[in-house]
Amino acid sequence: MGSVRVFQVDAFTSQRFTGNPAGVVLDAAGLPEREMHALSRELGSADTAFVLPPDGTDHDLQVRFLTPRGEAPFIGHATLAVHAVLASVQEPPRPRQKHPGGIVQVDTILGATPPRIAIHQPPPPPTAAPDPQALRAVLNALALTHTQLDPRCPPAIAGAGSKRLLLALAEGEHLAHVQPDLAQLARLSTQIGAAGVFLFALRPTLPDVFTEARMFCPALGIPEDPVSGNAHALLGAYLWQHALIGQQGAADSGTLEFTGAQGHHLGRPGRVTVALGLRAGSLESVSIIGEAVIAFATTLEF
């Protein structure tokens, strides 16, 4: 017999039952594969992170991410949840996280309750324009028209592995009126070359944020993702690439930050802070920062 510590965590929020939920399973090294998948299904979260010991000297822990459709190489909000759990059980920081997609640096910023977690990543590849016919089909599936798009922001396919279609709406209020045809969006995912659609607005309806967003990923088994860290990282690089934040090509270095709101349309409001690392006017890194809180925890024997 063995046991695992299981946590249900709400990420990108400081309040339980808001933000983006994720399961976190510690001590998962001895858990059989079939038990991992069964436990992920039982938790009912879209994503569950299984924490494993390192198998080399270049990292401090390994994490596997199970989803309703199988396994993902990396999930931002579940990574945030993992390191919030490690902080809550007072384990020493393990900043170098290995996952099937590579190794990512994760810093726990202590001094606040809950602590803030920063996930540092290299900039994603440059965006590409979607096929015009596929774009028209996506807009139709969302009950949107071209006139509702922000003319400053060209539609773009962003990301390296699991890609997203970034669509900017002219007004934040348009987000509340989106009527997605989820079956149609799932069918269109191959045609557009993206597994999800990330809608954002630079004129948000909420105070104290720079952007407001929604994301639909039915092709991944997620009708609407409450709060996506990965998509906000793509958004940060997109805004810099299109000179929609800061001044592209400036000769200065430092960090440029903004905060995005997502999840409130689902009754699960959350916030993602995006930090763009600049050097001599070039984008060198993209970090997503936020809090996470434990909704409940238990120990299971197997």
Side-chain angles (χ1 to χ4, degrees):
M1 295 290 291
S3 64
V4 292
R5 290 175 286 174
V6 181
F7 302 80
Q8 185 80 347
V9 184
D10 295 324
F12 293 116
T13 181
S14 59
Q15 291 186 306
R16 286 188 299 176
F17 315 131
T18 63
N20 202 349
V24 174
V25 181
L26 299 184
D27 320 308
L31 197 59
E33 186 81 12
R34 65 181 183 278
E35 296 287 349
M36 284 189 180
H37 288 275
L39 179 51
S40 177
R41 290 194 302 269
E42 189 69 17
L43 286 175
S45 296
D47 309 298
T48 303
F50 292 82
V51 180
L52 306 165
D55 62 1
T57 59
D58 61 346
H59 59 282
D60 304 305
L61 78 164
Q62 297 184 83
V63 181
R64 290 182 61 186
F65 302 98
L66 298 188
T67 74
R69 297 293 176 92
E71 187 165 357
F74 178 75
I75 297 174
H77 79 278
T79 291
L80 196 78
V82 164
H83 291 268
V85 166
L86 293 175
S88 75
V89 299
Q90 299 183 334
E91 291 202 15
R94 303 188 209 172
R96 298 173 301 167
Q97 174 182 304
K98 180 181 178 180
H99 48 83
I103 296 175
V104 67
Q105 178 79 19
V106 184
D107 291 330
T108 302
I109 306 169
L110 301 176
T113 304
R116 287 174 64 78
I117 311 295
I119 305 168
H120 308 292
Q121 304 173 74
T127 60
D131 174 77
Q133 183 177 350
L135 177 60
R136 286 193 295 271
V138 169
L139 291 176
N140 183 63
L142 293 166
L144 292 172
T145 66
H146 275 280
T147 61
Q148 292 173 293
L149 299 182
D150 190 331
R152 300 172 296 169
C153 308
I157 304 293
S162 185
K163 297 182 179 181
R164 301 292 181 266
L165 172 61
L166 306 185
L167 288 178
L169 301 186
E171 301 292 340
E173 62 187 27
H174 294 333
L175 290 166
H177 303 298
V178 173
Q179 300 176 36
D181 182 335
L182 297 174
Q184 180 69 355
L185 286 176
R187 287 191 292 268
L188 287 168
S189 63
T190 301
Q191 185 179 348
I192 65 174
V197 181
F198 185 71
L199 303 173
F200 68 94
L202 296 178
R203 296 188 179 96
T205 62
L206 303 177
D208 305 321
V209 295
F210 187 67
T211 63
E212 180 179 1
R214 298 180 73 176
M215 187 164 75
F216 304 98
C217 298
L220 299 177
I222 305 170
E224 181 169 357
D225 196 351
V227 191
S228 173
N230 290 345
H232 276 88
L234 297 176
L235 175 61
Y238 170 93
L239 295 176
W240 176 255
Q241 176 185 346
H242 293 280
L244 295 165
I245 186 171
Q247 184 179 352
Q248 190 175 27
D252 60 333
S253 301
T255 302
L256 184 64
E257 290 190 2
F258 71 92
T259 297
Q262 192 184 347
H264 46 286
H265 297 96
L266 293 175
R268 299 193 64 94
R271 297 287 188 275
V272 182
T273 295
V274 181
L276 305 177
L278 309 175
R279 177 172 295 183
S282 296
L283 180 61
E284 290 215 328
S285 66
V286 180
S287 302
I288 51 176
I289 306 168
E291 300 88 7
V293 292
I294 296 172
F296 63 81
T298 189
T299 299
L300 294 180
E301 294 184 348
F302 62 92

